[in-house]
């Protein structure tokens, strides 16, 4: 009888590393794609404390992992530990997708910007990011991926408004001349002429106040999107719909950002379908982490 370990016939293995990680929807997304593609694979939640992240990441390839997603609080550490970093991860300043090669070398990628763009291309095929400036609300971690994606997609300039102005200034300095800080109080006027309007703040989430953004100056051709996806239709998206503007909700960003990892680790290109969207909105089963 052959020894399965000598020829490594174990099912392909990947997972998500975080602390905490119980809330992650990634296992649910991967389980859906395994079932759909008939792939025998395994995708595990890995609760790893910050101080154990480095040794854990280096041990994973030896344990048979092809790669992992990384989530809070490890996104920066993953970038620093990597042997090789993609241009997107470097520009965004964080990694969310790690691939190991046969020698255990660590390759860091960030797919949040990819997920953002794919979601808009799918949800609004007529979207033309080069048609005018983009307006981005918020300057936190997610804003970095959104700004990178909009620059790559051809937005001529990005108006960046954040409650705490110096954070918008810092991001503008990081991304260069095409990103222009705008006063938070002037965000309504900054919708004028905008081709794309994006909320990356946590405002509008269930339990949080809505984002107040007057849309009177926004052109009729503007696309409005929110990366908050609980609720699916945020007050901003509802107001944009009433005003007759095209809207795309944020759930697809979460689903599309998972596709590159699945492709790399399990060799199939999964789709974002209505069934996956329904599955992703189900509550995750929370696990104890200790
Ligand atoms: P973060 O780094 O904590 O940034 C939060 C942002 O929200 C900051 O710009 C902050 O402004 C702003 N903000 C918070 N409370 C505010 C208030 N009362 N008034 C004005 N601005 C306020 O968070 P993040 O990681 O960027 O995530 C932001 C949101 O995006 C979260 O809701 C997250 O769930 C969602 N998200 C969705 C996806 C997806 O795939 N769809 C991916 C990533 C994140 P200050 O700088 O002034 O504090």
């Amino acid at each position: 009888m052959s020894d399965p370990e000598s020829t490594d016939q174990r099912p392909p293995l990947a997972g998500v590393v975080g602390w905490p990680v119980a809330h992650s929807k990634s296992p649910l997304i991967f389980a859906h794609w395994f079932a759909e593609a008939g792939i025998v694979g395994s995708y595990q939640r890995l609760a790893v404390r910050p101080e154990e992240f480095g040794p854990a990441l280096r041990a994973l390839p030896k344990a048979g992992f092809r790669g992992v997603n990384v989530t809070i609080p490890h996104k920066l550490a993953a970038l620093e530990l990597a042997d090789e970093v993609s241009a997107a991860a470097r520009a965004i300043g964080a990694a969310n997708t790690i691939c190991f090669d046969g020698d255990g070398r660590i390759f860091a990628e960030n797919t949040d910007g990819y997920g953002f763009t794919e979601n808009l291309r799918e949800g609004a095929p007529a979207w033309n990011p080069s048609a005018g400036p983009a307006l981005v609300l918020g300057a936190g971690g997610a804003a970095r991926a959104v700004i990178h994606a909009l620059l790559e997609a051809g937005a001529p300039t990005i108006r960046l408004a954040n409650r705490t102005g110096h954070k918008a200034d810092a991001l503008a300095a990081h991304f260069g001349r095409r990103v222009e800080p705008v006063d938070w109080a002037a965000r309504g006027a900054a919708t004028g002429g905008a081709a794309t309007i994006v909320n990356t703040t946590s405002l509008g989430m269930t339990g949080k106040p809505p984002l107040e953004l007057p849309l009177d100056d926004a052109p009729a051709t503007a696309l409005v999107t929110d990366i908050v996806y609980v609720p699916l239709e945020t007050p901003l998206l509802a107001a944009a719909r009433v005003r007759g503007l095209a809207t795309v909700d944020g759930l697809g960003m979460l689903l599309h950002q998972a596709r590159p990892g699945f492709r790399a680790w399990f060799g199939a290109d999964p789709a974002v379908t209505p069934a996956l969207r329904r599955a992703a909105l189900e509550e995750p089963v929370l696990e104890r982490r200790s």
Side-chain angles (χ1 to χ4, degrees):
M1 236 170 74
S2 68
D3 171 5
E5 285 183 20
S6 68
T7 50
D8 206 351
Q9 293 167 352
R10 291 172 292 182
L13 190 54
V16 54
V17 185
W19 185 263
V21 75
H23 64 280
S24 172
K25 285 188 181 288
S26 297
L28 194 153
I29 298 168
F30 277 74
H32 185 92
W33 285 334
F34 286 147
E36 209 166 56
I39 288 176
V40 181
S42 175
Y43 186 94
Q44 302 181 2
R45 277 195 176 87
L46 303 163
V48 175
R49 292 174 194 276
E51 61 274 22
E52 291 161 358
F53 181 67
L57 195 68
R58 290 200 188 84
L60 286 171
K62 294 176 207 131
F65 280 78
R66 295 183 174 188
V68 283
N69 290 119
V70 287
T71 186
I72 289 166
H74 303 311
K75 287 184 163 195
L76 192 59
L79 194 69
E80 286 163 357
L81 280 165
D83 297 300
E84 211 178 313
V85 173
S86 75
R90 178 85 57 212
I92 293 166
N96 72 343
T97 303
I98 299 291
C99 291
F100 305 121
D101 72 8
D103 300 324
R105 280 169 53 83
I106 299 170
F107 176 73
E109 176 60 284
N110 191 310
T111 64
D112 283 333
Y114 168 85
F116 173 78
T117 310
E118 287 289 292
N119 184 39
L120 294 192
R121 295 213 187 285
E122 186 176 73
W127 174 55
N128 178 6
S130 354
L135 170 62
V136 173
L137 292 315
R144 298 177 73 98
V146 166
I147 291 168
H148 173 72
L150 286 167
L151 291 173
E152 288 289 298
T157 55
I158 296 176
R159 301 165 181 166
L160 179 61
N162 193 53
R163 175 183 61 174
T164 309
H166 71 82
K167 293 190 191 166
D169 295 343
L171 273 199
H174 172 77
F175 281 104
R177 280 183 302 110
R178 282 164 69 200
V179 180
E180 305 161 351
V182 167
D183 276 352
W184 183 243
R187 62 194 182 280
T191 63
T196 317
I197 297 170
V198 190
N199 176 40
T200 76
T201 75
S202 44
L203 293 173
M205 260 175 93
T206 302
K208 299 260 166 110
L211 168 67
E212 307 285 352
L213 181 67
L215 291 169
D216 312 291
D217 292 345
T221 49
L223 170 75
V224 181
T225 185
D226 201 323
I227 71 164
V228 168
Y229 58 87
V230 182
L232 261 189
E233 186 177 68
T234 60
L236 171 68
L237 294 186
R241 180 172 51 77
V242 167
R243 166 103 167 59
L245 305 178
T247 62
V248 177
D249 69 58
L251 180 60
M253 175 178 172
L254 173 79
L255 303 175
H256 280 287
Q257 64 76 31
R259 287 175 50 216
F262 194 91
R263 277 199 294 262
W265 308 323
F266 303 108
D269 191 10
V272 171
T273 58
L276 175 61
R277 285 174 58 86
R278 281 193 299 279
L281 289 172
E282 285 165 15
E283 282 300 305
V285 179
L286 294 182
E287 293 162 2
R288 287 176 181 278
R289 75 180 182 202
S290 56

